[in-house]
């Protein structure tokens, strides 16, 4: 699947590739961590659309088509209802909109947990139909066999431990994990199991900081933190959270912009100009020659 697709018409917005260049690769990301150290931290953001990917691509190493799109794009109450078809449609858009970052697509709830075979079928569809480089799945030791199965068959896998949002019904909410000693040990063991199984990197989400540091020290592959620690090998945030699109965000989110207010203000101005007939003006209308 080509990622340098260009629709060559004057009015199309589908021209995502300013100058085709070599994409980063999964092995290049994995190699960032050498002998337990990552000299250059890995930058990952979520992306769900082609235009968003175009804007983020040059600044990131990885773009994650997260199943958080359930809440962020579709207004669903959690990521549980997200389907494979939704992930594939958005994954393909993000691949079309990017040319530099490694694109990873989340495996949605119900698409991989039953067996390694089920996971392979879902992951193969994702890779074939989106052109992405790998998949992410949630779960620790219980998923190690699946991670090994996929990796041995040519599918790069990013793990995800700690706060695993697809398990919200079991966890009872989105609170930070690892506050008891037993849970802390479990999370580090989960990360280690995925690392041993061949995951090329692992997201550690919503854990008390010493656990994020312990997981980073215990694993050979890069640990990407979200609500973790600056000492992780990289960081990820949900783009809409860091852009300030939502009023309510978790404690670990830093807002780098206030896009929600900018959009609301622009819509208010537009509505006013439509109502007082000052839009469209002479510049926005076609006049007879
Ligand atoms: O779905 C998602 O966006 C994620 C990130 C928060 C890591 O899994």
């Amino acid at each position: 699947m080509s990622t340098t697709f260009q629709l060559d018409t004057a009015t199309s917005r589908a021209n995502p590739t300013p100058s085709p260049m070599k994409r980063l690769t999964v092995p290049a990301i994995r190699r960032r961590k050498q002998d337990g150290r990552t000299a250059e931290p890995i930058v990952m953001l979520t992306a769900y659309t082609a235009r968003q990917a175009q804007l983020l691509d040059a600044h990131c190493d990885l773009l994650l088509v997260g199943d958080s799109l359930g809440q962020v794009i579709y207004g669903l109450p959690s990521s549980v209802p997200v389907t494979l078809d939704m992930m594939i449609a958005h994954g393909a858009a993000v691949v079309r909109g990017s040319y530099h970052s490694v694109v990873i697509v989340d495996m949605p709830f119900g698409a991989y947990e039953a067996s390694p075979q089920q996971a392979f079928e879902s992951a193969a569809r994702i890779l074939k139909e989106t052109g992405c480089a790998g998949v992410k799945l949630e779960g620790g030791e219980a998923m190690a066999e699946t991670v090994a199965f996929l990796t041995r068959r040519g599918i790069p896998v990013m793990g995800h431990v700690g706060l695993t949002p697809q398990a919200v019904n079991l966890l009872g909410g989105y609170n930070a994990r690892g506050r008891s000693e037993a849970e802390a040990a479990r999370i580090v063991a989960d990360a280690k199991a995925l690392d041993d199984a061949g995951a090329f990197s692992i997201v550690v989400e919503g854990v008390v900081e010493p656990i994020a540091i312990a997981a980073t020290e215990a694993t050979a592959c890069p640990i990407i933190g979200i609500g973790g620690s600056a000492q992780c090998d990289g960081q990820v945030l949900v783009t809409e959270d860091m852009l300030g699109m939502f009023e309510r965000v978790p404690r670990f989110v830093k807002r780098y912009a206030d896009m929600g207010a900018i959009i609301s203000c622009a819509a208010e101005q537009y509505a006013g100009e439509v109502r007082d007939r000052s839009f469209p003006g002479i510049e926005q209308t076609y006049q007879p020659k």
Side-chain angles (χ1 to χ4, degrees):
M1 177 173 298
S2 168
T3 57
T4 56
F5 174 78
Q6 272 186 292
L7 192 58
D8 190 24
T9 75
T11 54
S12 173
R13 293 182 180 82
N15 55 345
T17 309
S19 58
M21 60 184 282
K22 216 167 167 350
R23 229 184 241 282
L24 282 171
T25 61
V26 164
I29 297 292
R30 173 64 189 78
R31 281 196 303 269
R32 285 276 188 92
K33 188 167 180 177
Q34 294 286 338
D35 304 321
R37 274 203 70 250
T38 301
E40 187 190 350
I42 295 163
V43 180
M44 180 158 90
L45 280 170
T46 60
Y48 314 119
T49 66
R51 182 59 184 148
Q52 193 179 32
Q54 288 171 1
L55 294 170
L56 304 176
D57 189 41
H59 310 287
C60 293
D61 300 309
L62 291 146
L63 291 176
L64 172 67
V65 187
D67 61 354
S68 51
L69 62 76
Q71 296 103 308
V72 175
I73 301 287
Y74 290 94
L76 293 166
S78 75
S79 55
V80 172
V82 172
T83 66
L84 198 52
D85 287 340
M86 286 157 85
M87 295 310 302
I88 287 172
H90 288 272
V94 169
V95 171
R96 283 195 295 273
S98 59
Y99 54 96
H100 161 73
S101 306
V102 174
V103 178
I104 300 298
V105 176
D106 254 339
M107 300 255 265
F109 179 70
Y112 63 94
E113 302 88 333
S115 66
Q117 286 76 9
Q118 185 208 20
F120 181 81
E121 276 162 31
S122 298
R125 254 200 83 193
I126 291 174
L127 261 65
K128 278 171 183 278
E129 295 179 35
T130 69
C132 75
V135 296
K136 176 165 84 56
L137 53 79
E138 295 185 10
E141 215 170 311
M143 281 297 132
E145 187 192 344
T146 295
V147 170
F149 189 91
L150 296 183
T151 305
R152 281 201 301 269
R153 284 158 182 78
I155 299 180
V157 183
M158 177 181 281
H160 186 155
V161 302
L163 171 57
T164 47
Q166 291 176 9
V168 62
N169 289 303
L170 193 70
L171 302 175
Y174 298 105
N175 294 330
R177 316 301 305 171
R179 293 203 184 275
S180 75
E181 262 182 40
E183 200 177 59
R186 172 81 272 135
I187 293 167
V188 177
D190 279 343
K192 190 104 192 48
L194 297 183
D195 185 32
D196 292 344
F200 77 91
S201 68
I202 302 168
V203 168
V204 174
E205 176 169 357
V207 298
V208 295
E209 186 171 22
I211 298 176
I213 296 170
T216 304
E217 287 170 353
T219 49
C221 76
I223 296 291
I224 301 184
I226 172 166
S229 169
Q231 290 186 51
C232 291
D233 303 299
Q235 303 294 327
V236 59
L237 281 177
V238 170
T239 297
E240 280 74 358
D241 284 345
M242 71 98 177
L243 290 179
M245 292 288 285
F246 295 106
E247 284 77 32
R248 278 185 54 226
V249 287
R251 174 194 160 82
F252 57 74
V253 171
K254 179 171 174 184
R255 279 203 173 113
Y256 289 84
D258 193 0
M259 293 303 293
I262 290 172
I263 291 171
S264 176
C265 186
E268 185 183 15
Q269 204 181 333
Y270 165 75
E273 293 187 7
V274 169
R275 291 186 181 117
D276 70 14
R277 298 194 190 278
S278 60
F279 176 83
I282 191 84
E283 307 82 10
Q284 292 94 28
T285 50
Y286 298 101
Q287 301 301 321
K289 290 220 164 80

